[in-house]
Amino acid sequence: MDPTLNRRTFLAGLGAAGMLATLSGCARTSAGGATVSGLPQQMVWSTYSAGTGTYNDVAAVANMFTQHAGVQVRLMTSDTGIGRLAPLISGTSHYARAGDEYYYAFEGDDEYTSQVWGPQPIRQIWAPPGNYGVLVRKDSGIETVADLKGKRYPRLVASTSMNRKLLAILNYGGLTFDDVTLVDISYGEQTEAMKTGQLDAMYQNVVGAHVEELASQYPIRWLDLGGNDSSRYDTWEELSPMVRPGEFTGGAGMAAGESAVNMQYSIPLTTLADRSADEVHQVLTVMHENFDLFKNATPDAESFGLDQVLLDPMVIPFHDGSVRFFEEQGRWTPGMERRHQALLERERLMGDAWPDFWEEYADADSPRTEWRTWKNENLPALPAIDDQPGSETTA
């Protein structure tokens, strides 16, 4: 039997109840109980809710680990950023593909500027690219971002990072949140809200079951974020430093040959700094060596290929096991090492300062603002990466 997963058979399999909770299959173990791959017999990964493109990608990779490396992988899902990242930090999950919360947790920003959180030792291990943006129904009459003025626009519950992107997109069109009618809604509820008219626009990955379902019922349009006016992106670095404009094809609802520009960034697979470097290295080795077995399972699975991984912008450090892997594969450069070391130093400085900072500013009117101000005034600028190997991206 052909061991590879194609898109149709894999996505059909996701409908099975057992697949949604635990991807078990025929886990192969050695006589002593260790897996043939040398990895733990069981791992827990946290990610987005079922039906999203991100979930489907993670499930495809996890299924490969189960079927071909003997690792039983349980997927924990949540519709909020904190809900996806908290299990990693608490030790409930081993790895997380959680969204931009990995960056804000590392920095101790926003919800993480609190006594419970503070700066966290997050590490990225693999950074597949993706394209994300705002879509509308074609029957809405909305053709550009500027046309969103006065329209019903999502404000995603407990998802500060995505709300920053939603603001950056409005800024591209010369708008702010004051120019739209904000609708508080969860990420996974947007599709139904678009059908019923509760929303005029939604934020989504360009591929995935939810958005494909919407496009099958209502023609949709991805609002283009391209052009030669760099001033349209003036706020992007502050609001979402991990984002760059990126062209894509093959998105839901797009005709053959049609392209558009929206936000391109990685939702990386992350773990904590104290995860075994040997384990992380082996996770990447298994994923790389078995890439052909899952690369066609979902529209975005091919972005997990070694030549696709985004090593820049690097906004948090890579794990030691990842650095070793990239060095072996010839994808790690002196410029990346400088940036990586600068981020490790940034982490050390934030960690050293945090207890005294919190003691002084816990009762301030806005500890979040005070923390950002402290960092701006006390932390050195990060060096740019000027020698990144070329990489290609697709939707």
Side-chain angles (χ1 to χ4, degrees), residues 5 10-11 14 19-20 23 45 47 50 52-66 73 75 97 294 297-298 304:
L5 288 171
F10 175 72
L11 293 179
L14 283 180
M19 180 74 86
L20 295 178
L23 301 166
W45 295 9
T47 191
T52 62
T54 305
Y55 174 91
N56 292 343
D57 296 341
V58 172
V61 177
N63 188 67
M64 177 278 295
F65 272 96
T66 296
V73 179
L75 299 184
R97 197 174 183 215
F294 67 87
T298 74
F304 280 74

Side-chain angles (χ1 to χ4, degrees), residues 52-231:
T52 62
T54 305
Y55 174 91
N56 292 343
D57 296 341
V58 172
V61 177
N63 188 67
M64 177 278 295
F65 272 96
T66 296
Q67 298 294 335
H68 301 284
V71 180
Q72 188 180 66
V73 179
R74 177 190 173 198
L75 299 184
M76 296 183 64
T77 65
S78 176
D79 223 19
T80 70
I82 287 182
R84 293 184 291 269
L85 195 63
L88 176 67
I89 294 174
S90 70
T92 304
S93 70
H94 305 95
Y95 298 91
R97 197 174 183 215
D100 293 344
E101 279 67 28
Y102 76 93
Y103 167 72
Y104 297 106
F106 175 80
E107 290 283 330
D109 283 341
D110 297 330
E111 296 96 331
Y112 304 95
T113 310
S114 70
Q115 184 175 6
V116 174
W117 295 95
Q120 299 293 319
I122 308 292
R123 297 290 185 270
Q124 54 183 326
I125 73 166
W126 201 249
N131 285 81
Y132 306 79
V134 166
L135 66 93
V136 298
R137 286 171 47 170
K138 284 187 176 180
D139 62 8
S140 68
I142 301 170
E143 297 188 1
T144 69
V145 175
D147 295 335
L148 290 170
K149 186 171 183 178
K151 304 298 184 181
R152 289 161 293 195
Y153 195 70
R155 179 167 56 191
L156 300 174
V157 176
S159 297
T160 300
S161 66
M162 283 189 282
N163 289 328
R164 288 177 178 273
K165 294 188 182 74
L166 283 162
L167 177 56
I169 289 171
L170 289 177
N171 292 167
Y172 169 89
L175 305 177
T176 70
F177 282 146
D178 292 336
D179 296 307
V180 296
T181 300
L182 293 172
V183 178
D184 291 320
I185 194 167
S186 73
Y187 184 81
E189 293 172 337
Q190 293 180 99
T191 305
E192 190 62 30
M194 288 287 289
K195 296 177 183 178
T196 61
Q198 184 184 357
L199 280 177
D200 296 311
M202 65 180 280
Y203 182 83
Q204 194 79 191
N205 189 341
V206 300
V207 293
H210 289 165
V211 69
E212 294 283 359
E213 177 194 357
L214 178 64
S216 71
Q217 299 178 35
Y218 304 93
I220 63 173
R221 172 183 295 114
W222 293 95
L223 297 185
D224 191 80
L225 305 179
N228 298 319
D229 184 357
S230 61
S231 67

Side-chain angles (χ1 to χ4, degrees), residues 106-107 117-121 343-360 371 374-375 378-379:
F106 175 80
E107 290 283 330
W117 295 95
Q120 299 293 319
L343 284 164
L344 292 175
E345 177 64 8
R346 182 179 180 88
E347 177 183 60
R348 185 189 68 79
L349 293 172
M350 290 190 296
D352 288 348
W354 177 255
D356 290 341
F357 170 87
W358 188 251
E359 182 176 354
E360 181 175 354
W371 177 238
W374 182 90
K375 290 192 295 180
N378 292 277
L379 300 180

